[in-house]
Amino acid sequence: MADRGVALDKASSPPPNPATGGVQQATVYRILLAISFVHLFNDSIQSVIPAIFPILKDNLLLTFTQIGWISFAINFTSSIIQPVIGYAADRRPTPILLPIGMCFTFAGVFLLAYASTYALVLLAVILIGLGSATFHPEGMRVAHMAAGMRKGLSQSIFQVGGNAGQSLAPLLTKFIFVPFGQAGAMFFTFVAGAGILVQSYIATWYAGMLKAGYTFKKRAANKTISPARRKSVRNATIVLVVLVFIRSWYGAAISSYYAFYLMDTYRISLENAQIYIFLFLASGAIGTFFGGPLADRYGRRNMIMFSMIGTAPIALILPFVSSFWAGVLLVISGFVLLSSFSVTVVYAQMLHPGNIGTVSGLITGFAFGMGGIGSLVLGNLGDAWGIDHVMIAVGFLPLLGFLAWLLPTDSKLDEWASE
């Protein structure tokens, strides 16, 4: 009876595909929705960290530099561990890591609620970072496996859960941390507990698919890749990681520090400042969902380029507009900036077919970890220059989106995939 779910999926699927080990199911929406909800759980908990920054700053009398170190701790922990887990998962899939990762997250938010020293806060966020690092590679593989032939759609569903979770951070501050303070983090132990249960269900399905013979498509063992092609793939990967790093750096500037800018410049209360951050992140979640279909129509490389360059003029004028127009521009920039979120993942998967976990480690792990370094730098600059000057300076970051011209065209990627 353990393989009943697998059998049902196979019964309604197209004919077996040898490239996937003879098991090619139709798109399994119940699993895609489940892993997307867990992604929402995971990233909403991770978003607790920047959401609680103003509370921690007051409770522990922290500087912007110390806040930057907290952001660095969670992002860099994920960046170190996630590529390693992804690389290992590509060689030996381990479904049990899904609930184990959420256990780390549970421990982290529990400790965060009672952390009375800076050192304990750092330890708590490191545990949350480990949980996130464990989830993403295997979660990405589950989304790929459940997608059937609809890989782009599956990435949109999977990634929109994460970005929707991140968008909740400002509301969490307004409705949980402002009234309850740091102890409000205890609420997220229930979210983590629910995540453990759902992850256990997903892990059972995942293990059943592996037992039934599912394998991830890889290049043929006897197929040789020319040195020129290998160099092109390597260079494209570097450019893609740099672009995601830049996007993450600007996103960190808005999510972690723009609330302070609003409070200092417009004399907006903490509760109302969080609404602005929510608008940016919520529109980003919507952009993530629509980015995949838009890329199918206009091209993956074009979408990646548009998401960065299209954000640039908005980012440049944002610090100089009124509070009303700031809200309007945040909605537009969030949608545009994150419209390439799932697209970059699919693009990277096409560069490295079969290495789903490793790609996840590079794109959602290492690159975002480098964004954590950016957040640390911004914290130091905030103390040295003032947060208003920092927000003006980061407006120039999206201009680096012109680097997307260096990426291979979609037709070139398709040509490589057909060889």
Side-chain angles (χ1 to χ4, degrees), residues 229-308:
R229 159 88 171 276
R230 194 180 301 275
K231 181 179 179 180
S232 296
V233 170
R234 182 195 65 203
N235 291 342
T237 303
I238 292 173
V239 170
L240 198 64
V241 170
V242 169
L243 288 171
V244 175
F245 167 41
I246 294 167
R247 187 180 65 198
S248 301
W249 197 340
Y250 183 74
I254 299 298
S255 62
S256 297
Y257 298 108
Y258 191 66
F260 296 109
Y261 176 80
L262 289 169
M263 289 186 287
D264 290 346
T265 304
Y266 301 111
R267 304 302 176 189
I268 293 175
S269 67
L270 172 61
E271 297 95 317
N272 290 331
Q274 297 304 314
I275 299 299
Y276 286 78
I277 311 303
F278 170 74
L279 291 174
F280 174 80
L281 297 174
S283 64
I286 297 172
T288 296
F289 183 78
F290 285 101
L294 288 173
D296 289 338
R297 182 177 180 85
Y298 298 108
R300 290 177 290 271
R301 191 184 74 158
N302 290 339
M303 201 66 204
I304 293 171
M305 190 182 310
F306 167 75
S307 73
M308 299 292 292

Side-chain angles (χ1 to χ4, degrees), residues 15-323:
N17 185 345
T20 58
V23 181
Q24 172 66 344
Q25 81 288 345
T27 303
V28 188
Y29 287 102
R30 73 179 193 281
I31 296 298
L32 281 177
L33 291 175
I35 199 66
S36 181
F37 272 112
V38 174
H39 202 180
L40 185 150
F41 295 161
N42 179 87
D43 284 25
S44 65
I45 291 173
Q46 192 168 344
S47 72
V48 165
I49 308 306
I52 207 172
F53 279 168
I55 307 298
L56 293 174
K57 190 175 189 296
D58 290 341
N59 287 355
L60 303 179
L61 302 178
L62 303 180
T63 65
F64 283 119
T65 300
Q66 288 175 309
I67 289 175
W69 275 110
I70 295 173
S71 180
F72 172 82
I74 187 169
N75 284 285
F76 199 66
T77 299
S78 178
S79 76
I80 291 175
I81 302 299
Q82 194 170 148
V84 175
I85 294 176
Y87 181 83
D90 283 334
R91 280 138 190 83
R92 185 175 181 181
T94 310
I96 192 63
L97 285 177
L98 291 171
I100 288 177
M102 195 58 71
C103 288
F104 279 113
T105 301
F106 181 96
V109 291
F110 184 86
L111 178 60
L112 181 64
Y114 295 103
S116 58
T117 66
Y118 183 58
L120 286 178
V121 170
L122 288 174
L123 177 59
V125 301
I126 286 172
L127 287 172
I128 294 172
L130 287 173
S132 181
T134 305
F135 163 74
H136 280 100
E138 287 291 12
M140 188 83 72
R141 291 168 65 84
V142 167
H144 189 276
M145 179 183 288
M149 301 300 293
R150 309 192 69 180
K151 306 300 183 187
L153 175 65
S154 75
Q155 276 304 315
S156 290
I157 293 174
F158 177 68
Q159 299 294 354
V160 78
N163 283 353
Q166 293 174 23
S167 73
L168 294 176
L171 298 184
L172 301 177
T173 300
K174 182 178 177 67
F175 295 111
I176 295 180
F177 294 120
V178 169
F180 298 107
Q182 189 176 335
M186 276 299 294
F187 167 80
F188 295 93
T189 59
F190 297 100
V191 178
I196 292 171
L197 294 176
V198 179
Q199 289 286 60
S200 298
Y201 166 74
I202 295 171
T204 300
W205 177 86
Y206 184 5
M209 290 296 292
L210 293 174
K211 184 178 179 181
Y214 190 102
T215 58
F216 291 88
K217 180 180 180 180
K218 294 180 179 289
R219 290 188 178 97
N222 61 348
K223 183 178 181 179
T224 59
I225 303 175
S226 69
R229 159 88 171 276
R230 194 180 301 275
K231 181 179 179 180
S232 296
V233 170
R234 182 195 65 203
N235 291 342
T237 303
I238 292 173
V239 170
L240 198 64
V241 170
V242 169
L243 288 171
V244 175
F245 167 41
I246 294 167
R247 187 180 65 198
S248 301
W249 197 340
Y250 183 74
I254 299 298
S255 62
S256 297
Y257 298 108
Y258 191 66
F260 296 109
Y261 176 80
L262 289 169
M263 289 186 287
D264 290 346
T265 304
Y266 301 111
R267 304 302 176 189
I268 293 175
S269 67
L270 172 61
E271 297 95 317
N272 290 331
Q274 297 304 314
I275 299 299
Y276 286 78
I277 311 303
F278 170 74
L279 291 174
F280 174 80
L281 297 174
S283 64
I286 297 172
T288 296
F289 183 78
F290 285 101
L294 288 173
D296 289 338
R297 182 177 180 85
Y298 298 108
R300 290 177 290 271
R301 191 184 74 158
N302 290 339
M303 201 66 204
I304 293 171
M305 190 182 310
F306 167 75
S307 73
M308 299 292 292
I309 299 174
T311 304
I314 300 174
L316 289 170
I317 66 174
L318 180 62
F320 305 103
V321 299
S322 67
S323 58

